[in-house]
Amino acid sequence: MSLTIYDTTLRDGAQQEGISFSVQDKLKIAGLLDRLGVDVIEGGWPGSNPKDAEFFQRATDLGLDHATLSAFGSTRHAGRHVEDDPGLGALLGAQTEAVALFGKASAVHVRRVLGVTLEENLRMIEDSVAYLKEHGRFVIYDAEHVFDGYCDNPDYALATLEAAASAGADVLVLCDTNGGSLPNEIAALTAAAAKRFSVPIGIHAHNDSEMAVANSLAALQAGASHVQGTVNGMGERCGNANLCSILPALRLKMGHAEILPDRLERLTETARAISEIANLQPNLNLPYVGESAFAHKGGMHVDALAKYTRSYHHIDPRLVGNHSRVLVSELSGKGSIAYKIRECGLDIPTNGPRGRRVLTQIKDLESRGFQFDGAEGSVELLLQRSSPSYQAPFELMGFHVLVNRQEDGRLSAEAAVKLRVGEEVIHTAAEGNGPVNALDTAVRKALLPIFPRLASIHLTDYKVRILDSAGGTAAQTRVLITTSGEERCWSTVGCSANIIEASWIALGDALEYAVTIAGAGTPRTVEARG
Amino acid sequence: MSLTIYDTTLRDGAQQEGISFSVQDKLKIAGLLDRLGVDVIEGGWPGSNPKDAEFFQRATDLGLDHATLSAFGSTRHAGRHVEDDPGLGALLGAQTEAVALFGKASAVHVRRVLGVTLEENLRMIEDSVAYLKEHGRFVIYDAEHVFDGYCDNPDYALATLEAAASAGADVLVLCDTNGGSLPNEIAALTAAAAKRFSVPIGIHAHNDSEMAVANSLAALQAGASHVQGTVNGMGERCGNANLCSILPALRLKMGHAEILPDRLERLTETARAISEIANLQPNLNLPYVGESAFAHKGGMHVDALAKYTRSYHHIDPRLVGNHSRVLVSELSGKGSIAYKIRECGLDIPTNGPRGRRVLTQIKDLESRGFQFDGAEGSVELLLQRSSPSYQAPFELMGFHVLVNRQEDGRLSAEAAVKLRVGEEVIHTAAEGNGPVNALDTAVRKALLPIFPRLASIHLTDYKVRILDSAGGTAAQTRVLITTSGEERCWSTVGCSANIIEASWIALGDALEYAVTIAGAGTPRTVEARG
């Protein structure tokens, strides 16, 4: 039986705390999902908000290559005719080939939440499915709370599935709505349903027990052939089943040839692009697609990887478009620097004096509190700077920062900076929310006229760590900054007993990287790189 | 068979990118883990770095209530006698009751990574286990890569386990080192091992396939009785098995009575405190313990929850010390304040208006970015200040802070402060390593003549967290300060878009706590407390 990948990032994924997609965001994501090769894209719940209705209107222009669109909605209201039900009307109005219709499968929910009789709920399911079928839709029936319902009242749960199937539903999706089930429970009901019904069975899992991926695979192993999930596992509470972990497992561990290798190679870039659109802090530890997923810190692992590439990787990271990283740190040897040089695509003999010089420099800086294992941007700059022909795009000559709190509690922060760019000396000042923001603002004010593309570069994270905790406020301070450009992001590090100076060092590296490596420099500067 | 919970947050968890625990951090975490009720705490790898060796030296003073300490290390080097092996020496030197010894179980790894014969590896395992047993240790044998090794060469993988068992290992732990196995593969080998060996079997899972929790539970269902993991699933690459998801599943879904309810209620606070200590951005979506784990956005879910509380929750969040964010947590909130009042030994009716007032204040401050989870000192001060008779020992009227970097790179930081103590106004200034240190120094300079015992009060930790990462350097900043007095230490919190102000708020609380609660005030101030 062929496998259907059903993505609900745009509907269930958008329920995650802090996520709010614009229609434009949703259109962009739909395009990315199509390129990734998912079979069905659930675009939204047209009956619940006008934004989703607008999405479906505009989605017809998307020209999707492979994927089908689906709209989500619920069974008719109690005591209403299907023709008069506004929800079903909106669902048809979305003009999608497929619809996902959810109905209640748990007797407790029917009585206590819906407040209707068990019989009426069965008729609601039947009528609604039949009505959508009459209108030519491919009907995916989502059985909400069916695992909990099956525990409490198995006969009724199966009767609801029967109602949907007999009315013509094309897929019966078993939903672990509260995410509380364990794989053996998922497998048991899935196997029973697959045996009883001739239509394909689907699985919709939530991650409240950290089981969503395992539960989805357990269902597929037990006879399901349709799997629902979201990119990066976005979703309400603890999220939905993570398609970015399910797709590679299906192809690389379970032998499902429907997941095509050239699509799978887009997984990492798709996951990161959607995370950016959602404006989420990237989760480094995400399986398969995370920045750290194939990263190694300990010297022992790095040595082992050099001897046998599979030694600490469960798959070849290139298969999912990710890559292996070595976190350069004081524990590293020459091997890690050589690895880094290759990773950055630099033209430096990996075992020559330049690589050794940079390694010595890294060790020296780390002994003074720098930490490079989260700061590849700074490492890449150290490597670039080791070239005799490298020219820094700007140089900080000095600054002062003043923070003032008056007796009425009013606060101000101001920074003055003096920078040299080529022959030019720029002296300017700015205010900010705080001292580091004032410094950042002043430096950008000085550089923007010369490097206008810095306007699209943003600081996305700023972390501070106190190193020698016993030193209290006099301790060495390490600042780690993450910066995002149009296509990539990089991290840089600074360290000093003075937090302002530590911030400046990391900030200076972040901006220098933007100009010399990430392409925010002027054409003249870009030429100077070669 | 009884169940053993083995925590490796301090060793394998510390391998996570960006984590770097100080010895002080590790001691604090060990205390929290003991309170949570884990059975064994793996403190580090004493042979690999001096910090871990220091931890074990100092850990003897921890006075753990329930947990046993374990040190981690590897089998002896090839061609060396156990007595001469520095790694085994360091392992014994840690003086722990238990040791975790890892050895290679995969024939490919033995040949390609270790570069020794299969026979020699078996002798390395045997000799090392026997040597540690001779020295009276409880030996937990970690079979690295055993699942991959079992696939490639099952006889050899089992022979390595046999070598450890026959030499006297007390537990055989099956490690899915690369995190690539699926639950059915985990269950198969675990069942085979449990059948073949009479010693208890353990499971050590990594999350590279998003299966670490499912794999751990699958192993326990298949006959394992020892489970290794970390708090919040911290760890290298995609992390280790998450004990915060395993413990509640064991108790609430699999009926393991060894996990005590009153320990489980500490799960959320423990998870968050350790995340704070690690200076990690908290992951809202973490199952069971995340801020969003029981939060509801959709109106439909909120309605349903009002009708039937189990409708969109898989468990009662209070069982793990978390709370639902929709059922406006008035109740759980009051409960935690009552808990705090009792904890501080204060004479305030736990359900009266004062408690409620402080709760409202805390909620208001938390909505502005404060977080009191890791800042009991500030909470205790809020409670004290709610007394009509409370008098603040000093009041900050204003300050300014100036940081200057000259063209020759020389830096200076200076602060001027104006404070009121009783009727007196003190205006003074000081220099420091950085702006916060200058402010700290100036305030102490002002207060010391009046409260001379402040001289023995030290700031021992100072942490900074950026809250809205998308805001970069303009984001809200939270500062957490830990202060040590002669007999105790306390943590205080400050929050502002300006890091200097945030630091001041936390610093002010730290000093006020020192004077009014920790006994650094003059006798007059101490009397005023009663």
Side-chain angles (χ1 to χ4, degrees):
Chain A
M1 195 186 296
S2 84
L3 197 62
T4 303
I5 308 296
Y6 186 101
D7 180 281
T8 179
T9 303
L10 298 178
R11 203 270 309 165
D12 228 7
Q15 293 294 310
Q16 178 164 319
E17 193 171 352
I19 289 188
S20 166
F21 292 133
S22 66
V23 175
Q24 193 54 45
D25 289 341
K26 295 182 80 157
L27 293 166
K28 230 191 275 179
I29 292 173
L32 289 165
L33 291 170
D34 183 48
R35 263 190 92 223
L36 180 65
V38 309
D39 302 303
V40 191
I41 297 171
E42 187 172 88
W45 188 346
S48 81
N49 68 74
K51 213 202 285 178
D52 283 7
E54 186 190 341
F55 166 81
F56 286 109
Q57 256 171 27
R58 294 175 56 185
T60 47
D61 304 333
L62 271 174
L64 298 181
D65 187 41
H66 168 81
T68 300
L69 282 176
S70 170
F72 179 85
S74 85
T75 51
R76 70 161 170 80
H77 279 73
R80 244 202 202 122
H81 281 291
V82 284
E83 294 84 0
D84 307 330
D85 190 85
L88 291 175
L91 202 47
L92 288 175
Q95 305 279 358
T96 52
E97 203 176 315
V99 293
L101 183 84
F102 82 95
K104 296 231 175 274
S106 151
V108 185
H109 278 257
V110 170
R111 279 193 290 244
R112 297 186 58 173
V113 180
L114 270 189
V116 305
T117 64
L118 297 184
E119 258 313 304
E120 167 69 355
N121 181 53
L122 294 179
R123 280 194 304 273
M124 285 158 63
I125 296 171
E126 254 167 31
D127 295 354
S128 309
V129 170
Y131 180 65
L132 294 169
K133 284 308 298 173
E134 276 164 34
H135 285 78
R137 298 301 190 271
F138 184 88
V139 177
I140 296 154
Y141 178 71
D142 283 356
E144 199 194 30
H145 286 117
V146 72
F147 293 95
D148 303 329
Y150 187 73
C151 274
D152 294 336
N153 186 338
D155 291 341
Y156 186 72
L158 291 173
T160 65
L161 293 174
E162 185 66 55
S166 66
D170 298 284
V171 188
L172 299 177
V173 181
L174 309 177
C175 302
D176 187 28
T177 310
N178 291 1
S181 303
L182 299 185
N184 52 317
E185 297 159 348
I186 298 283
L189 175 57
T190 306
K195 201 172 150 201
R196 178 161 172 161
F197 300 102
S198 58
V199 289
I201 302 297
I203 178 74
H204 173 105
H206 280 264
N207 204 36
D208 300 73
S209 309
E210 211 172 325
M211 290 285 164
V213 172
N215 282 347
S216 302
L217 299 185
L220 294 171
Q221 285 173 327
S225 61
H226 165 117
V227 59
Q228 302 197 345
T230 63
V231 169
N232 297 328
M234 280 188 243
E236 197 178 24
R237 304 190 311 269
C238 311
N240 284 55
N242 183 1
L243 286 181
C244 296
S245 294
I246 292 173
L247 297 179
L250 287 173
R251 167 89 203 179
L252 305 173
K253 297 176 189 234
M254 290 162 71
H256 281 278
E258 296 95 328
I259 315 293
L260 303 175
D262 58 330
R263 304 280 186 162
L264 203 55
E265 278 171 16
R266 292 182 184 148
L267 192 68
T268 298
E269 67 179 71
T270 307
R272 294 188 190 168
I274 291 176
S275 175
E276 272 304 307
I277 294 170
N279 201 16
L280 292 177
Q281 184 86 8
N283 181 349
L284 301 180
N285 306 106
L286 279 172
Y288 301 97
V289 300
E291 279 283 346
S292 299
F294 302 96
H296 297 276
K297 194 169 173 175
M300 193 191 70
H301 286 197
V302 176
D303 282 356
L305 275 168
K307 289 174 185 153
Y308 174 42
T309 50
R310 273 194 54 207
S311 53
Y312 290 93
H313 287 167
H314 66 126
I315 61 156
D316 179 344
R318 288 169 300 185
L319 298 175
V320 292
N322 206 342
H323 62 276
S324 151
R325 274 164 68 218
V326 166
L327 307 175
V328 175
S329 75
E330 55 186 330
L331 299 172
S332 344
K334 269 185 289 185
S336 325
I337 281 289
Y339 198 97
K340 195 94 238 163
I341 290 174
R342 279 197 303 275
E343 201 182 78
C344 301
L346 295 177
D347 186 22
I348 306 178
T350 53
N351 250 331
R354 258 178 82 187
R356 277 201 297 277
R357 224 164 34 235
V358 172
L359 184 60
T360 309
Q361 209 179 350
I362 285 176
K363 288 193 169 170
D364 176 47
L365 288 167
E366 291 211 333
S367 74
R368 287 155 50 198
F370 281 75
Q371 187 190 16
F372 290 95
D373 78 10
E376 276 80 24
S378 291
V379 175
E380 214 174 321
L381 276 174
L382 286 176
L383 286 166
Q384 298 272 10
R385 286 179 194 139
S386 71
S387 155
S389 64
Y390 183 79
Q391 276 201 311
F394 58 85
E395 185 201 339
L396 181 81
M397 300 167 70
F399 64 74
H400 80 245
V401 169
L402 178 69
V403 176
N404 186 52
R405 186 181 185 266
Q406 293 175 6
E407 296 201 20
D408 60 5
R410 270 190 302 163
L411 264 180
S412 64
E414 178 198 314
V417 299
K418 202 172 180 184
L419 290 166
R420 182 181 287 122
V421 185
E423 300 298 298
E424 203 179 340
V425 171
I426 306 160
H427 197 163
T428 188
E431 290 183 320
N433 282 356
V436 182
N437 182 237
L439 189 62
D440 182 22
T441 309
V443 173
R444 280 167 183 271
K445 188 173 163 189
L447 293 177
L448 260 176
I450 307 166
F451 307 112
R453 289 173 67 192
L454 279 181
S456 65
I457 302 295
H458 298 286
L459 266 64
T460 51
D461 201 6
Y462 169 76
K463 285 205 177 93
V464 180
R465 173 92 196 168
I466 307 304
L467 298 181
D468 165 24
S469 57
T473 56
Q476 203 70 0
T477 302
R478 182 163 63 218
V479 168
L480 202 70
I481 283 179
T482 308
T483 309
S484 290
E486 279 158 18
E487 280 164 6
R488 52 164 139 183
C489 66
W490 54 94
S491 295
T492 52
V493 64
C495 191
S496 163
N498 185 316
I499 192 173
I500 308 293
E501 190 186 40
S503 302
W504 161 252
I505 296 169
L507 200 60
D509 269 14
L511 295 169
E512 187 169 334
Y513 188 103
V515 170
T516 61
I517 300 174
T522 60
R524 178 178 54 85
T525 317
V526 171
E527 273 167 31
R529 278 180 68 197
Chain B
M1 194 185 297
S2 84
L3 197 63
T4 303
I5 308 295
Y6 186 100
D7 180 280
T8 179
T9 304
L10 298 177
R11 204 268 310 164
D12 227 7
Q15 292 294 311
Q16 179 164 319
E17 187 169 357
I19 289 189
S20 166
F21 291 132
S22 67
V23 174
Q24 192 57 45
D25 289 340
K26 296 184 80 156
L27 292 166
K28 232 190 273 179
I29 291 173
L32 288 165
L33 292 170
D34 183 47
R35 260 189 96 222
L36 179 65
V38 309
D39 302 303
V40 191
I41 297 171
E42 187 173 88
W45 187 345
S48 81
N49 68 74
K51 215 200 284 175
D52 284 7
E54 186 189 340
F55 166 82
F56 286 109
Q57 256 172 27
R58 294 175 56 185
T60 46
D61 303 333
L62 272 174
L64 298 181
D65 187 41
H66 168 82
T68 300
L69 282 176
S70 170
F72 179 85
S74 85
T75 52
R76 69 161 170 81
H77 280 73
R80 243 201 204 121
H81 282 290
V82 283
E83 294 85 0
D84 307 331
D85 190 85
L88 291 175
L91 202 47
L92 289 174
Q95 306 280 357
T96 53
E97 203 176 315
V99 293
L101 182 84
F102 82 94
K104 297 231 175 272
S106 151
V108 185
H109 278 257
V110 171
R111 278 194 290 243
R112 297 187 56 174
V113 180
L114 269 189
V116 304
T117 64
L118 298 184
E119 258 313 303
E120 167 69 355
N121 179 53
L122 294 179
R123 280 194 304 272
M124 285 158 63
I125 296 170
E126 255 168 30
D127 293 354
S128 308
V129 171
Y131 181 63
L132 295 169
K133 286 307 299 173
E134 276 164 34
H135 285 78
R137 297 303 189 271
F138 183 88
V139 177
I140 295 153
Y141 177 71
D142 284 356
E144 198 195 31
H145 286 118
V146 73
F147 293 95
D148 303 328
Y150 186 73
C151 274
D152 295 337
N153 186 338
D155 291 341
Y156 186 71
L158 291 172
T160 65
L161 294 174
E162 185 67 55
S166 66
D170 297 284
V171 187
L172 299 177
V173 180
L174 309 178
C175 301
D176 186 28
T177 310
N178 292 0
S181 303
L182 300 184
N184 53 317
E185 297 159 348
I186 298 284
L189 175 58
T190 307
K195 201 172 149 201
R196 176 159 172 162
F197 299 102
S198 58
V199 288
I201 302 296
I203 178 73
H204 174 104
H206 281 264
N207 205 36
D208 300 75
S209 309
E210 211 174 326
M211 291 286 164
V213 172
N215 282 346
S216 303
L217 299 185
L220 294 171
Q221 285 173 328
S225 61
H226 165 117
V227 59
Q228 302 197 346
T230 63
V231 169
N232 298 328
M234 280 188 243
E236 198 177 23
R237 305 190 311 269
C238 311
N240 284 55
N242 183 0
L243 285 182
C244 296
S245 294
I246 292 173
L247 297 180
L250 287 172
R251 168 87 204 180
L252 305 173
K253 298 177 189 233
M254 290 162 70
H256 280 278
E258 297 96 328
I259 315 294
L260 303 175
D262 59 329
R263 303 281 186 161
L264 202 55
E265 278 171 17
R266 291 182 184 147
L267 192 68
T268 298
E269 68 178 68
T270 307
R272 294 186 191 170
I274 291 176
S275 175
E276 273 302 312
I277 294 170
N279 203 14
L280 291 177
Q281 193 83 15
N283 180 351
L284 302 180
N285 306 107
L286 279 172
Y288 300 97
V289 300
E291 278 285 343
S292 298
F294 302 96
H296 295 278
K297 191 171 174 178
M300 191 190 72
H301 287 196
V302 177
D303 281 357
L305 276 167
K307 292 175 185 153
Y308 174 42
T309 51
R310 272 195 54 207
S311 54
Y312 290 93
H313 286 166
H314 66 127
I315 61 154
D316 179 344
R318 287 170 299 184
L319 298 176
V320 292
N322 205 341
H323 61 275
S324 154
R325 301 249 307 276
V326 165
L327 308 167
V328 183
S329 59
E330 196 62 12
L331 279 177
S332 60
K334 258 193 289 189
S336 45
I337 280 291
Y339 186 90
K340 271 274 123 63
I341 290 176
R342 280 196 304 274
E343 208 181 67
C344 300
L346 295 176
D347 186 22
I348 305 178
T350 53
N351 250 331
R354 257 178 82 186
R356 276 202 298 277
R357 222 162 37 233
V358 173
L359 180 61
T360 310
Q361 209 181 348
I362 285 177
K363 284 188 175 173
D364 176 46
L365 289 167
E366 290 206 333
S367 75
R368 286 156 49 198
F370 281 75
Q371 191 191 9
F372 292 94
D373 270 359
E376 278 76 26
S378 290
V379 175
E380 212 173 324
L381 276 175
L382 286 175
L383 285 165
Q384 298 273 10
R385 286 179 194 141
S386 71
S387 156
S389 64
Y390 183 79
Q391 275 202 312
F394 58 85
E395 185 201 339
L396 181 81
M397 300 167 70
F399 65 74
H400 80 245
V401 169
L402 178 69
V403 176
N404 186 52
R405 185 181 187 267
Q406 292 175 7
E407 297 200 19
D408 60 6
R410 270 190 303 163
L411 264 180
S412 63
E414 176 197 315
V417 298
K418 204 173 181 183
L419 290 165
R420 183 180 286 120
V421 185
E423 299 298 297
E424 204 179 340
V425 170
I426 306 159
H427 196 163
T428 188
E431 291 182 320
N433 281 357
V436 181
N437 182 236
L439 189 63
D440 183 22
T441 309
V443 173
R444 283 167 182 272
K445 188 173 162 188
L447 294 177
L448 260 176
I450 307 164
F451 306 112
R453 289 173 65 191
L454 278 181
S456 66
I457 301 296
H458 298 287
L459 266 65
T460 51
D461 202 5
Y462 168 76
K463 286 208 169 92
V464 180
R465 163 76 41 82
I466 307 304
L467 298 180
D468 165 23
S469 59
T473 55
Q476 202 71 0
T477 302
R478 181 163 67 217
V479 168
L480 201 70
I481 283 178
T482 308
T483 310
S484 292
E486 278 157 20
E487 281 166 6
R488 52 164 140 183
C489 66
W490 54 95
S491 295
T492 52
V493 63
C495 191
S496 162
N498 185 316
I499 191 172
I500 308 295
E501 189 186 40
S503 303
W504 161 252
I505 296 169
L507 200 58
D509 269 14
L511 295 169
E512 187 170 336
Y513 188 103
V515 170
T516 61
I517 301 175
T522 61
R524 178 178 54 83
T525 317
V526 171
E527 271 167 32
R529 278 179 68 197

